[in-house]
Amino acid sequence: MTDKQQVDSKRIKQAKALTAALENDDHAEVERLIDALASERDVTLFLELGKLTRQIHDVMMSFALDNRVVELTEKDIPDAKERLNYVISMTEQAADTTLNAIDEMLPVAEVMAASVEDLATRWTKFLQREMPFAEFREMSKEITAHFGNSRDGLALVQSKLNEVLMAQGFQDLTGQVIKRVIDLVHDVEQSMVELIRISGKRFVPDMKLAEPASDEHLTQGAGPVVPGVDDRKGNTIASQDDVDDLLSSLGF
Amino acid sequence: MKILIVDDFSTMRRIIKNLLRDLGFTNIVEADDGQSALPKLQAGGIDFLVTDWNMPGMTGLDLLKAVRADSKLVKLPVLMVTAEAKREQIVIAAQAGVNGYIIKPFTGSTLKEKIDKIFERIEAGG
């Protein structure tokens, strides 16, 4: 029997007793029964009040949560997107700086290498006493020029290598920015756990969610494999050799 | 030989371009996704396609399928250079007609090896 049914059944008994007492002119009993009915009413009232208080408490809890959710939605998550875009542009800049430095160094290194190769051959000829003096004089001038060019070339290489060194500083800055985004994701996770709890659903941490049945995530592309995150199902290929083996085993 | 490089990250296009230059390929054009690559291919003159997979708009897989479905482009050699490394994906790409599959990160010598292999096969009539 529900609370209400119990209450109703009791009231019916009391009402019948009250009617009987009134018919019998038993005023003492009538008073007693009316008091009993009144205090029953109080109990019911208290039960209702208790339920209402509980509901208000839950609404206020979800209200406080709502504020956090609103804050996340209107400020923190857009901020996080900005921060991650910033990480992309910082890493792109660092890569460009490095590639530019390489583009400048490579031709210089090539010229120096060619010059060294050429002079080494001719120097060997000289050491084997197979070089006429006029040729030696020519080579001597070129060796002098070579030292000058190498000095300049190597100074350039050192300067560019220094630029590459400084460009790696992005890692510190992007690392800090990414840490902040990780904190935000943690906050979002916490809020969602709260929401799930309040909505009354059971939340089981580390629940093994079913993998999406469609191949869409395979054909759309899932991005680089992050060790420990993307390779849990054991269908990830680790190296180019494994790719080659797989393809040749399929006859490609 | 004219090569088209397709990747949504300019850094990667630059790296591949430099590696191809080292191998002697100097006639190189670029696109940053499948949708802008396809018209360039259809305009003709491109002999080799190097493409990433994971790109917004049109993925490299969809680009490959579009190339194989186009009678003018069906024989175009296509080399995929991508971070996508799931077994099923490699199979899907091979079945869609890709000529070579390189996973990132990769080296210049791997790139050379795969390009050489593709051209050997073409010359052998494959």
Side-chain angles (χ1 to χ4, degrees):
Chain A
M1 223 196 275
T2 64
D3 284 344
K4 194 172 184 303
Q5 283 168 330
Q6 273 183 320
V7 165
D8 284 346
S9 151
K10 199 169 179 191
R11 276 183 179 170
I12 288 172
K13 283 204 190 96
Q14 285 167 325
K16 284 183 178 164
L18 184 57
T19 311
L22 281 164
E23 282 169 356
N24 291 340
D25 265 344
D26 187 345
H27 297 286
E29 184 64 6
V30 167
E31 289 303 318
R32 195 191 68 78
L33 282 164
I34 290 179
D35 278 344
L37 276 167
S39 73
E40 287 295 340
R41 188 128 186 275
D42 288 343
V43 167
T44 314
L45 205 61
F46 282 137
L47 281 172
E48 288 302 309
L49 207 56
K51 263 194 245 162
L52 204 61
T53 310
R54 183 63 211 299
Q55 281 173 343
I56 291 176
H57 169 82
D58 280 349
V59 165
M60 290 193 67
M61 280 292 293
S62 70
F63 204 70
L65 189 62
D66 275 353
N67 273 343
R68 180 69 192 115
V69 168
V70 167
E71 205 185 305
L72 282 172
T73 314
E74 289 187 358
K75 182 179 169 308
D76 295 328
I77 290 180
D79 275 357
K81 292 198 289 188
E82 271 315 298
R83 293 186 207 288
L84 290 176
N85 272 328
Y86 179 68
V87 168
I88 292 181
S89 71
M90 280 209 88
T91 50
E92 185 175 337
Q93 232 175 69
D96 277 344
T97 302
T98 305
L99 287 167
N100 286 345
I102 290 172
D103 278 348
E104 286 183 70
M105 285 189 276
L106 278 178
V108 168
E110 271 165 35
V111 164
M112 279 173 58
S115 163
V116 162
E117 200 47 55
D118 172 54
L119 288 172
T121 314
R122 285 151 74 188
W123 183 257
T124 308
K125 193 175 165 193
F126 167 72
L127 291 176
Q128 289 165 346
R129 298 176 198 284
E130 286 169 17
M131 186 175 272
F133 185 67
E135 212 180 300
F136 173 77
R137 258 206 340 235
E138 196 49 45
M139 182 178 75
S140 184
K141 277 189 225 158
E142 280 178 41
I143 288 177
T144 309
H146 170 76
F147 286 151
N149 294 337
S150 299
R151 185 183 290 128
D152 292 342
L154 287 168
L156 180 111
V157 167
Q158 281 179 300
S159 151
K160 294 298 150 188
L161 285 173
N162 195 55
E163 277 178 29
V164 168
L165 171 70
M166 295 316 291
Q168 306 316 302
F170 78 91
Q171 203 280 333
D172 163 44
L173 300 174
T174 54
Q176 289 185 46
V177 172
I178 290 175
K179 273 198 184 135
R180 288 194 66 171
V181 176
I182 291 175
D183 287 344
L184 172 98
V185 170
H186 176 76
D187 279 356
V188 171
E189 185 191 25
Q190 296 294 93
S191 294
M192 297 196 84
V193 167
E194 264 308 288
L195 278 170
I196 293 173
R197 191 189 68 77
I198 281 183
S199 77
K201 296 220 189 308
R202 254 169 25 97
F203 173 67
V204 180
D206 296 326
M207 192 163 67
K208 299 242 181 294
L209 291 163
E211 281 287 327
S214 74
D215 306 299
E216 205 190 297
H217 71 291
L218 285 179
T219 55
Q220 276 305 109
V225 172
V226 173
V229 175
D230 298 309
D231 54 3
R232 286 190 285 229
K233 275 169 62 185
N235 62 343
T236 304
I237 302 282
S239 74
Q240 186 63 44
D241 285 339
D242 292 340
V243 173
D244 298 343
D245 287 345
L246 173 62
L247 286 172
S248 55
S249 76
L250 295 168
F252 286 102
Chain B
M1 182 173 78
K2 194 167 174 189
I3 304 182
L4 174 65
I5 302 176
V6 187
D7 194 307
D8 54 335
F9 277 83
S10 65
T11 304
M12 183 47 59
R13 293 198 306 269
R14 203 169 155 178
I15 291 174
I16 295 181
K17 191 168 171 177
N18 275 12
L19 289 172
L20 289 173
R21 280 226 177 103
D22 283 348
L23 296 173
F25 303 108
T26 51
N27 191 357
I28 296 168
V29 286
E30 306 176 32
D32 63 6
D33 72 4
Q35 272 163 351
S36 52
L38 201 50
K40 288 188 180 165
L41 290 168
Q42 287 164 336
I46 291 172
D47 307 297
F48 197 92
L49 172 62
V50 179
T51 179
D52 182 18
W53 182 319
N54 192 1
M55 297 185 287
M58 186 191 239
T59 65
L61 181 69
D62 288 338
L63 177 60
L64 169 63
K65 289 180 178 172
V67 162
R68 293 287 174 250
D70 184 326
S71 57
K72 282 189 295 170
L73 301 173
V74 65
K75 289 239 179 280
L76 181 71
V78 180
L79 173 62
M80 255 184 161
V81 179
T82 171
E84 303 300 323
K86 298 242 148 65
R87 185 167 278 121
E88 296 86 350
Q89 289 175 309
I90 295 166
V91 174
I92 288 171
Q95 288 171 340
V98 84
N99 300 86
Y101 199 103
I102 294 180
I103 53 172
K104 295 175 185 171
F106 63 99
T107 64
S109 58
T110 300
L111 187 62
K112 177 177 189 334
E113 189 197 310
K114 297 307 168 205
I115 293 179
D116 285 346
K117 194 165 167 190
I118 290 175
F119 282 113
E120 266 167 37
R121 284 231 176 111
I122 290 179
E123 258 155 61

